[in-house]
Amino acid sequence: MQKKRIAIFGSTGSIGTQALDVIRANTDLFEVEILTAQSNDELLIKQALEFKPNAVVIGDETRYQKVKDALDKTLVKVFAGEKALEEVADFDSYDMMLAGIVGFAGLKPTMKAVEKGKAVGLANKETLVVAGDLVMQKAIEKRAPIIPVDSEHSAIFQCLVGETRNRIEKIILTASGGPFLGKKPNYLVNVKRDHALQHPNWSMGAKISIDSATLMNKGLEMIEAKWLFNLQPEQIQVLVHPQSIIHSMVQFEDGSVKAQMGLPDMKLPIQYAMAFPQRIKTDFPRLDFRKYPSLTFEDPDVKTFRNLALATEALFKAGNMPCVLNAANEIAVWAFLRNRIGFLDMTAMVEKTMEKISFIEKPTMQEYFDSDGEARNFAASLINL
């Protein structure tokens, strides 16, 4: 396998740091070409000194000088600001982008990599939630491989390898149910930030941990799956599987089901995407079935966790609705993490925003950006009501 040059967008986040662990363990296979972070200048500097990339970007321009000074005696080029993310994504010097920037902010640099025909390891689900039609259209046109890094989509992707000529009847996305599985609204009213951040099975960043607790994460994954695997909304099913051993399944038209299984560890799908089409030997802990004598499944409770119902509505309505859903949710999660609104207020905020913003059936990229901005402004106006 030829050495791959990796550009990690969002290198100081949960996905980025784990990707660097994979590279650290496989220096003969991967090298770091670009690192980007929004505001964690100290960790970015530390990573740059260790991995010696060609370039780094710090999104927060006020931190530029600190990063520049710290890397002054190295050959690392230092850039700052949102525009710089797109500019370094336009470099020819990398083979694969690992898109790990959280939220809508990841869309522009990811789209730039796709336009360049670069392989993208996609850990930023919002890119496809917001503008999946335009991104996938461009990926086909430019022959840019998009390899999912989300554990559920990686599972489906792995199940489909070698099945290109066989029709999918449906996919089954598994959900752990999050920390509040089985709880009712009268309990959720009093849930606080720290409680919601404690996921039972996975170690993740704050945004995705809250999305997992509200089941919005699974809703976003449904929308992402539609674009990644070219599916109709009715071909996507969600099942709660509290053990998080089966990461997702594919049912083919002959009725047979393929599942991808393993212990919950994000390093595995990250490594699979980076090394694809090969699998690399690891010393990760192995799944011992004797420790999991029963694997259970149940329908999600969409009456209590209404975010999943709202996301399903956006999936079926399509157009700019998933974009609006995502924007309102990003503001809602931001407000909840700062103790400005309650746990159940997040759903109310998303619902009101979806009712308020005008529906566009076939948006242009500019209309997606406009819808995102409008939805954010409206959702933010609800915080102090």
Side-chain angles (χ1 to χ4, degrees):
M1 183 173 155
Q2 209 177 350
K3 211 170 195 185
K4 274 189 196 169
R5 300 162 300 172
I6 311 287
I8 303 181
F9 280 63
S11 68
T12 59
S14 174
I15 295 290
T17 51
Q18 291 180 86
L20 288 171
D21 287 342
V22 171
I23 293 173
R24 206 178 272 117
N26 298 281
T27 50
D28 54 328
L29 300 177
F30 308 112
E31 62 184 286
V32 177
E33 181 62 22
I34 295 164
L35 294 172
T36 86
Q38 177 53 30
S39 54
N40 192 341
D41 48 14
E42 289 191 10
L43 185 52
L44 181 66
I45 290 163
K46 204 172 153 191
Q47 291 173 343
L49 290 170
E50 179 185 353
F51 290 96
K52 301 175 181 60
N54 173 24
V56 300
V57 179
I58 182 79
D60 179 349
E61 294 181 41
T62 63
R63 296 165 194 258
Y64 169 75
Q65 203 56 51
K66 182 179 170 186
V67 179
K68 179 88 178 115
D69 293 346
L71 301 177
D72 199 32
K73 292 185 168 57
T74 70
L75 296 172
V76 180
K77 301 180 193 76
V78 181
F79 303 93
E82 189 189 333
K83 199 78 196 136
L85 290 171
E86 285 182 81
E87 286 163 8
V88 298
D90 203 25
F91 284 8
D92 287 317
S93 58
Y94 67 96
D95 300 309
M96 177 181 222
M97 171 193 278
L98 188 75
I101 294 176
V102 175
F104 180 80
L107 173 59
K108 284 184 180 177
T110 306
M111 192 64 167
K112 185 62 76 177
V114 170
E115 283 168 357
K116 297 280 290 181
K118 299 287 188 186
V120 174
L122 190 66
N124 168 291
K125 59 176 67 73
E126 291 84 357
T127 291
L128 293 186
V129 169
V130 170
D133 53 344
L134 302 183
V135 175
M136 294 311 285
Q137 204 177 316
K138 187 61 73 178
I140 290 163
E141 190 187 306
K142 298 291 181 182
R143 298 191 169 179
I146 294 185
I147 304 165
V149 170
D150 245 359
S151 64
E152 294 81 356
H153 300 100
S154 174
I156 293 160
F157 185 82
Q158 290 180 56
C159 290
L160 291 176
V161 169
E163 298 279 5
T164 40
R165 292 170 188 275
N166 296 318
R167 288 170 65 92
I168 300 169
E169 192 168 287
K170 68 173 177 182
I171 63 162
I172 301 158
L173 291 171
T174 53
S176 67
F180 307 127
L181 179 60
K183 298 288 190 266
K184 293 296 174 201
N186 59 357
Y187 174 89
L188 297 174
V189 161
N190 302 312
V191 158
K192 293 289 179 279
R193 171 188 185 277
D194 292 345
H195 194 178
L197 286 169
Q198 289 165 11
H199 196 279
N201 303 338
W202 295 92
S203 166
M204 308 178 289
K207 160 80 167 57
I208 193 170
S209 296
I210 300 303
D211 282 348
S212 187
T214 65
L215 289 199
M216 179 58 90
N217 190 45
K218 213 46 54 179
L220 298 176
E221 285 175 9
M222 290 173 77
I223 298 165
E224 187 186 5
K226 170 189 167 179
W227 297 115
L228 273 172
F229 307 113
N230 193 22
L231 301 167
Q232 295 303 314
E234 49 275 7
Q235 288 178 288
I236 305 164
Q237 182 186 357
V238 170
L239 268 186
V240 172
H241 166 52
Q243 297 81 19
S244 295
I245 295 298
I246 294 180
H247 299 309
S248 276
M249 301 175 257
V250 178
Q251 182 170 304
F252 295 94
E253 62 179 358
D254 63 356
S256 67
V257 178
K258 275 171 100 170
Q260 189 266 332
M261 309 170 78
L263 293 170
D265 184 348
M266 275 310 296
K267 281 203 211 58
L268 220 149
I270 290 168
Q271 177 174 294
Y272 183 82
M274 278 167 41
F276 186 79
Q278 288 172 271
R279 289 185 183 269
I280 307 172
K281 185 172 166 49
T282 73
D283 56 4
F284 300 158
R286 295 328 198 219
L287 171 62
D288 180 349
F289 281 97
R290 290 164 298 191
K291 290 182 181 165
Y292 295 88
S294 67
L295 300 178
T296 60
F297 306 91
E298 61 190 85
D299 280 325
D301 176 2
V302 289
K303 283 196 171 72
T304 301
F305 297 93
R306 286 177 43 245
N307 271 358
L308 186 55
L310 292 174
T312 304
E313 186 188 314
L315 167 73
F316 275 84
K317 198 164 183 186
N320 66 334
M321 265 307 116
C323 171
V324 170
L325 169 97
N326 177 70
N329 180 60
E330 284 191 26
I331 296 294
V333 172
W334 178 91
F336 176 72
L337 284 169
R338 282 156 187 78
N339 300 314
R340 301 274 296 278
I341 62 172
F343 187 81
L344 293 177
D345 297 334
M346 289 188 278
T347 302
M349 192 185 278
V350 172
E351 187 169 35
K352 283 178 184 160
T353 307
M354 286 172 71
E355 287 165 3
K356 174 75 177 174
I357 306 300
S358 304
F359 176 64
I360 305 168
E361 193 175 350
K362 281 199 159 47
T364 62
M365 189 59 96
Q366 188 54 51
E367 284 170 329
Y368 279 128
F369 287 125
D370 294 344
S371 295
D372 175 84
E374 277 180 57
R376 278 170 200 275
N377 290 336
F378 179 74
S381 75
L382 300 173
I383 293 172
N384 297 319
L385 291 181

